[in-house]
Every structure is written in structure tokens, then in C-alpha cells.
Amino acid sequence: MTQSGTPDEGDLIEGHDHTDQTPYENVDLKNHKTHQNTTVWEADEKGLMHGVTRQVTIDGRAHEGEQTVTRALQSRHLQMIAIGGTIGTGLFVGSGGALATAGPVGTLLGYVIVGAMVYAVMISLGEMTTLYPVSGSFTHYATRFVDPALGFALGYNYWYSFAVILPNEITAAAIVIGYWNQTINTAAWVSIFLVAIIAINFVGVAAYSEAEFWMSFIKVITIVGLIIIGIVLDLGGGPNHDRIGFRYWKNPGPFNQFNGIPGATRRFLAFWSSFVQAAFSYQGTEIVAVTAGEAQNPTKTIPKAIRRVFYRILLFYVGGIAVIGLLVPYTNDQLLNNTGTAAASPFVIAIETAGITALPSIINAVILFAAFSAGNSDLYTSSRTLYALALDGKTPAFLRRCTRQGLPIWCVAITSLFGFLAYLNAGAASAGTVFEWFVNISTVSGLFAWATICFSYTCFFNAARIQGLDRNTLPYKTPFQPYAACFGCILALLIILFNGWSVFLAGNWSTATFIADYIGVPIFVGFYLFWKIYQRSKLVRLEEIDLLRGGEGWTRRRKKNGFR
């Protein structure tokens, strides 16, 4: 700061002081400039100014002199992660369980509706992330636009949900090897995958993004190939020349019957049961926003990535589910095969039924890639969420520490410890029940994240309306708002509420199942109440939300650039 009071280039300007009659009349966030002058955001956006702090806490305080994460994630990485990053075992294998429960049409409708919810979540998140591209993104938005206690609850739930699913994915990858070789102890493969995932994440975001780029590329090519093969088989192009068409939609039928309940009610319940499996399959779609703090030029790359989410949902998920519903009857016993390998994949069942023998091993290899990729992303996502909590002052300060290469080393190290729980799952049969709980907790936490993202957006939307900020000036204005955000929030909460509805049916009560389905709810509420009481946080009033601070990429700028 100079003696005259004019800030130097390195000083942090917290934003507009709101003394003008219309605070945002000179601001054009879409083109990153004010009406008087252009800004100097480009260097930070492209990752050139990574030697000093760029991330800012909610109260506008930067931690000067600290190393921070760097913008090393290139556009091609972000686009491929957006397209194929979350294609995993839920689509390749888990979709078979949904088909067995709900039937072909019930499953297809479930994936379409949940896919619409995920799209609503992503466009809501995309608009905020493009404007405020910070580490952790949505945990910060909940703090900034709603209530610091909500940001605290969301951040810790999201962190531990991905941390506890990490050992499950490592174990899944090790089990997949059993499709070829069952003589080697699973713990040996667990060790190999655990070391590889930790090593990639300790190298930094460049290694993570490059690994995810190629694994996502393999998954995308595979699922596209499987859909094409499925269409060919359905039309009678397989070795047995059996033209299936819509045979299985007629017999055994479009919907399964749930638990012996008569009439349309049991068909509806079977359809509703597919929502949870669909939510698990879509889990992690929001990871694109977690990378915002390390993405190069996020105001351009993130909107492109968000737009491609729609096509991914339509082609990979909806297209894939439609194909397997045509090829495999929901009464096929192999759909409920709990091996976790390609043997339970509806794609493999269809291919083997058609008389093709070579492809199952190839698909199993891709499932191995998918499980490893999921574990790799779990460690990255959870560690960056912990780092975002540290930036907002919700963890011990030492977790803000980054290396010169931009690695939040303590966050990665602490989160990596969860991976060693995979040995427990590999060595004890009873541990499988515990890990089933972990999976359910992770799914519920993901749904809470989606609901919170949408609710945060509605607060942002209403604050912009009340304060006179024209959304047409934003870097990325999304369609269907605020109705899409309301739809996403309400449906996510409904799925959480009815997640374990089947235990309340006559003769179905199970205390263990009830706890597994709903334990995530009191955990989330407990985190919220803890911070609410401990910090006495309050809901943020819409007219008091600072929409301008950080609204051009969280860069440092001089007051002469229009922020007076």
C-alpha cells in the first residue's frame, strides 16, 4: 500500500464498497471488465501468478506469503473429465441391479429423471463456479450465500464421504482382478492400487489430470462401443442372428413388481427404487467444479465442460440403460451376481448370450480402469474439499500449506490414510457390511451436496435480483433458472427422505438396513448444528451478500479499474 492510500499491484481489493446508488452499474463480468477499464485477470487465470496467494476466505482475508494451488489443469483435461470422469462401476455393473429391481422402462425413467436433476445441479453450479472459480467451489458458495454452518456441514460431509469410499474403490479394483486370477491374495492387489493412487496424487494436479484424461478416454470409447454393439445385437447382427427388438419389454414386461404388492402401486415402487442406484451412478458429476481452483482459464473452460454434461447424461447413461433394457430381461439371475466383476455387468450378459466370447475380458479390464479412476478421483476430490475448508477457516491452519508445486500436501496426506481401510475390507467378511454403510453414507452425502448446491444458487439468484446485478453480464448465464435449481433441490431431498422406504413395508424391517440408509442424515444435521452453536453463525441476508468480490476470477486488481 502506498502512502497516498492507493493499493499496490499486490494488495487485495475486497470488492465494491456499495456506496454507489447502483453498485453494479459499471461492472461487466461477462467480458471481465468495467465500463472504464479492463482488468488484469488473465495472468492468474492462465496460472502464471501462482507464487503468491490467490484464494480468498469468505471474509476477504488472504493468507499472504503462503503457497497455494496452481492452475495447472488444462482445458483438454477438464473437458475429458467432464465427459467421462464419473463413468464407473455404477454404470458398467451396478445398473444391472437397478434393471433387476425396476425393469427396463422403470430403470430408464429413473435414470432420465435423476439425470434431469443432475443437469439442473450442474447448470446451477456452473454459473456460480464460472463467476467464482475457487477451490472447493460449492462448499464456499454455501458459506457465502446461505449460512457458514451449511458450508461447514457440506464441506465435512463431502470430504469424509469421498474419503471413506476411497478404500471401497481400491478393494473393488482388487476384486476385479479375480475375474482372471483368484490365486493371489486380494491384499496384494490392494497394496499395488493404493500405492499407485497415492503416488499420482502426491505428484500433483498435473499427474492426476493426465491420468484421468486417459482413463476417461478409455471409458468413453468403451461405453460408446458397447452401445453400438448393443444396437447391433438387438437388431440381430450377432453370431446367433437373434433379432431381439422390444421382446423383453413385452415379456417379462416393462416394469418389475416390487415385493408382491398388487397393481400399479408395486410397479411405481419398483420404478422409484431405481432412483437411489441412478444417483449412485451419477455421483461425482460435480467434481468438475472442485477443479475450478486449479483449472486454467476457468471462465471459458468450465462453461464448455458444463454444457457437455448434458450430452454425457443423454448418450452414456440414458443410451446405455436403454440398450441393456432391450438386451437383458430383468428376470436374468446373473444381474444379481454380487462378484463385482464383469460377470455381473448387463453388457457382458448380453454379449455372452449372443455368443461373443472375447469381449468380456476386455470389458472387465475397463471396469478395472473405472474402479481405479474412481479411487484416484476420490482422493483428489476429498483432499481439495479439505483444503477449501482450510481456506474458509474451518480446519486447523496448517492444512492450508501447499508445496511450491501447488500441492496441498497435508490435506492429501491425511485423506490418504483412509485408503488403508481397504485392507480391512480385503481381510474380513464382516467388514463388507461396514463398507456397505460407507457406500450408502456417500450416496446420501452426495444428494445433500446436490440439494445444497441448488439451494445456494437460489440464494445467489435472488440476491442478484434484489441488488440489481444483471445476469446477462455474467460470464456464463444458464437457462431454466431459478426453476431448474428448485427442481434439483426438491428432488434430491425427496430421494434422501425415501432412500430407505422399503424397510417400512410389512415384514421388511431391518435395523441394520435402516441405519445404513439414514445414518447420513443425522451426521449432516449434526455438523450443521455444531458450527451453528460453536460459531453462532447466522443466515446471510440476501441484500448483504457481496456478489462482486472475487467475481472476475478472484484476482488482485487496482481500485482504478473501477472498484471504488
Side-chain angles (χ1 to χ4, degrees), residues 267-351:
R267 290 191 290 272
F268 172 78
L269 293 177
F271 149 71
W272 181 261
S273 67
S274 68
F275 278 43
V276 175
Q277 177 59 47
F280 177 75
S281 296
Y282 286 117
Q283 204 85 64
T285 306
E286 69 286 346
I287 288 177
V288 171
V290 177
T291 67
E294 296 174 89
Q296 295 178 1
N297 203 0
T299 53
K300 293 182 180 179
T301 56
I302 288 178
K304 289 170 60 179
I306 296 298
R307 293 187 191 103
R308 291 176 181 177
V309 167
F310 171 78
Y311 301 106
R312 183 185 74 193
I313 292 172
L314 186 64
L315 175 61
F316 302 150
Y317 287 93
V318 176
I321 293 300
V323 166
I324 64 173
L326 291 173
L327 296 175
V328 183
Y330 67 76
T331 53
N332 190 303
D333 293 335
Q334 289 179 267
L335 292 173
L336 299 178
N337 186 335
N338 199 28
T339 61
T341 67
S345 171
F347 294 102
V348 171
I349 295 171
I351 290 170

Side-chain angles (χ1 to χ4, degrees), residues 28-45:
D28 182 0
L29 297 178
K30 184 174 184 179
N31 297 309
H32 304 281
K33 63 183 181 181
T34 66
H35 290 181
Q36 295 96 337
N37 298 285
T38 59
T39 65
V40 291
W41 66 279
E42 288 88 350
D44 181 66
E45 290 280 283

Side-chain angles (χ1 to χ4, degrees), residues 215-250:
M215 286 188 284
S216 296
F217 178 76
I218 291 171
K219 290 186 291 184
V220 167
I221 293 298
T222 302
I223 192 64
V224 170
L226 288 174
I227 291 173
I228 294 173
I229 291 173
I231 294 173
V232 171
L233 294 178
D234 186 66
L235 296 176
N240 59 7
H241 302 293
D242 180 17
R243 192 179 190 280
I244 300 173
F246 289 89
R247 178 190 307 166
Y248 298 130
W249 285 32
K250 300 175 182 178

Side-chain angles (χ1 to χ4, degrees), residues 50-218:
H50 57 263
V52 294
T53 298
R54 300 187 312 280
Q55 304 294 338
V56 185
T57 57
I58 185 61
D59 58 2
R61 292 181 291 107
H63 307 287
E64 294 297 340
E66 293 182 353
Q67 300 291 335
T68 64
V69 295
T70 59
R71 296 198 181 277
L73 201 151
Q74 301 174 20
S75 177
R76 68 181 180 91
H77 296 143
L78 191 64
Q79 303 312 316
M80 186 55 72
I81 290 172
I83 294 173
T86 57
I87 297 175
T89 55
L91 179 58
F92 287 118
V93 180
S95 56
L99 178 61
T101 303
V105 176
T107 304
L108 180 61
L109 289 175
Y111 272 76
V112 167
I113 294 173
V114 175
M117 176 186 70
V118 172
Y119 179 70
V121 171
M122 291 306 296
I123 61 174
S124 302
L125 183 58
E127 185 170 315
M128 296 186 292
T129 303
T130 306
L131 185 57
Y132 310 105
V134 297
S135 291
S137 62
F138 42 86
T139 60
H140 171 84
Y141 307 146
T143 296
R144 182 172 185 170
F145 301 137
V146 186
D147 187 340
L150 185 62
F152 179 85
L154 174 61
Y156 272 96
N157 270 267
Y158 201 75
W159 168 66
Y160 83 72
S161 68
F162 274 89
V164 299
I165 207 66
L166 167 63
N168 198 64
E169 296 292 356
I170 293 174
T171 305
I175 291 174
V176 167
I177 299 291
Y179 184 82
W180 299 296
N181 188 322
Q182 296 184 351
T183 60
I184 300 177
N185 193 296
T186 303
W189 298 114
V190 166
S191 301
I192 293 173
F193 295 133
L194 178 61
V195 169
I197 288 173
I198 292 176
I200 289 172
N201 278 269
F202 264 102
V203 172
V205 67
Y208 161 78
S209 57
E210 195 66 31
E212 281 302 300
F213 175 86
W214 290 109
M215 286 188 284
S216 296
F217 178 76
I218 291 171

Side-chain angles (χ1 to χ4, degrees), residues 259 261 501-509:
N259 204 43
I261 300 173
W501 58 271
S502 61
V503 300
F504 298 105
L505 297 176
N508 273 22
W509 176 257

